[in-house]
Amino acid sequence: MQEEYVHVYNEKEDAGDDTPDPGSQNVPAAATKDWAEELLSDPKNRLALLTLSSNPINECLSTPSTVVRDRQIFNLRIPFEGAPVTNQRSSGRCWLFAATNVFRVAIMQRYKLKEFELSQAYLFFWDKLEKANYFLESILDTVDEPVDGRLTKSLMASPVGDGGQWDMVKALVIKYGLVPQTLYPDSFNAKNSSAMDQIITTKLREDALRLREMSKSNTLSRSTISKTKANMLHEIHSILTLMLGPPPNPSEEFKWTYYDRDGKYHSLKTTPLDFARELSSSNTVRACGGADVHRLFSLVNDPRNEYSRLLTVDRLGNVFGASAVTYVNTDSNTIKHAAIEMIRKGFPVFFGSDVGKQSDRFKGIMDTSLYQYELAFNIKLGMSKAERLISGESAMTHAMVLTAVHLEQGKPVRWRVENSWSEAAGTDGYFVMSDSWFDEYCYQAVVDPSCVSEELRKVLKQDPLVLPRWDPMGALA
């Protein structure tokens, strides 16, 4: 038997091999010493070493002029911003907070309120249950797909993740309505959702494998499988009830007592469904500049795909059988024009973006010139928006609300953003977004049909282009 051996590098023996082979597939270890010496021969890089190796990178590379320029001053803003500033805590419920922050403006105008929050936890409860059902139905519908195939893995990856989309919250409101937060406040697990999500995800993955196995049996009827799935859903409901608390019934009357902004006491008896229908009442629509939240739809900027095209994502949703999640794909300038028109109407704008890029949560700034990475590391970062989507570098990660814009010669310069990270983030909870950041990292804005052209409204009638479940447009904010 040939003896195993380890070759030990001998510096003297291989002294002539220091020059790296350009065709080699290996890291040229011998050359890295020269690389380091060359790098640190420049005083700028020696200073960078002293600074970057001992401090948080973004604190070192923040551009002071950008911070000074991005001020909370705007010449066009909605007349009424919702209050108080909300806080999603340690959860991924930004889309529910952004949506209810839009909804509440209409309700606050309707009932003349100084401060008000809708219950995000109420929608959160029903969203988890609906996502569990949607997942189990998707598993039953894809039993012929290989268990290790890309579609099945995509479905299994995050069956009940906290994120969502505008059309998903619309489906929840249609089916379950809305309630004031005082009637169903956040529980600990609404504020800190990871443990609950982990338990439900583990249970659903186990259930999915069982349903796939049952579906391939020749002896089990569809009725038996459906009963098993119903029992699985019952178990998920039990977990949610124990961790979030039992929510109000959508059709049962609740009593809401409140003071209006003049300090006058009021009492209202209604159901969650009827309370949500108030958003489309003539009084509410008139108070919101003619915008009806039930008619709002999503514009997206996806430069990989054709503009003036309706898009959807395969098997993306929460309420099974509800309308599909759809987006009207258009250029960034069209989205900005529509958002400005919404603000002119006095109505806030739900939008989705990649919030982690070139942003500072403490200063509350999102600007493409905020951090000088290229200067610090002697590199060029030049991917286009389409290339970032293709490579997985960027996607919608967070939903927030636009409430103001600063215009110069009719063009936007910066935007005021209502976040849901508490008053400790940004300026009392509000951020400034530069217009260049909007172009690069904003993907979606939800607007009223009256704020876009007739040509773009017609896109809503198209048969949508169906993107695969793993497409970045399927990312949930």
Side-chain angles (χ1 to χ4, degrees), residues 77-95:
R77 58 191 303 163
I78 63 175
F80 186 83
E81 289 180 332
V85 170
T86 54
N87 188 358
Q88 67 187 79
R89 310 284 178 143
S90 297
S91 73
R93 299 177 292 163
C94 60
W95 63 296

Side-chain angles (χ1 to χ4, degrees), residues 360-427:
D360 186 325
R361 69 177 294 153
F362 299 107
K363 292 185 176 72
I365 293 175
M366 299 177 288
D367 194 309
T368 54
S369 65
L370 183 57
Y371 299 120
Q372 297 299 319
Y373 298 128
E374 293 182 347
L375 176 63
F377 298 108
N378 310 298
I379 58 174
K380 178 66 178 175
L381 299 172
M383 275 196 286
S384 67
K385 194 173 189 177
E387 289 170 333
R388 287 193 292 270
L389 287 169
I390 291 168
S391 63
E393 170 63 17
S394 185
M396 276 186 279
T397 61
H398 191 54
M400 297 176 284
V401 177
L402 300 173
T403 64
V405 61
H406 189 74
L407 303 172
E408 292 183 0
Q409 297 180 338
K411 295 183 178 180
V413 175
R414 59 183 176 269
W415 304 75
R416 178 168 164 87
V417 176
E418 179 184 2
N419 207 342
S420 54
W421 290 348
S422 85
E423 291 183 345
T427 303

